[in-house]
Amino acid sequence: MQSLYIIASVLAVVAGQEYDIHPQMLEERYPEWYVSSEYAHPRHQRDVSVDKNTGDLTLDHKTSPDGRVFGTIGSRDEALFGKAGYQHNVFNDHRGKLDATAYGSRVLSPYGDSSHQGGRLDYKNNHAAGSLDVSRQIGGHTAVDAAAGGSWPIGRNGDFTMQGTYSRFGPIQDYGARAGLNYRW
């Protein structure tokens, strides 16, 4: 009985070694210029991108776009990808500027496919800024990134800035803060 285990083990090891050698034998059958990337011609990038303004927003008798559609379809090495989104200007006036963005992406690869979707809000005025980004990989965790900060003038040439950040990916959370005093001589 013990000899059957030894024979089975030897066969498994020999089969495993044969499997490891097999790809090397395939490479030896092809000429060097075909296998080596040193001799291969680089493939030209074949990405197709779109970035188009949409809609009109009228401010002070001036018309400007209030949204934009963006996207890219392309490939990298063995993967195909597509990403697209829409950004909309909610307001841009004395209150500041608020932009909302919705986006998504899809990647097809021999190593696995993935889909990703999310949304983002960005606010900015003369003395404050903030952002919130919530995204999720389909079948995965939700990610949240938030940041807010302010700037207050000190005299004619200086300002005090303060910023706080929050980040979460699944169960992992991270907090941060930064403050600074800027003075221009």
Side-chain angles (χ1 to χ4, degrees), residues 156-170:
R156 296 175 69 187
N157 295 329
D159 60 25
F160 175 73
T161 61
M162 189 188 243
Q163 180 181 5
T165 61
Y166 170 76
S167 180
R168 185 188 73 168
F169 182 73

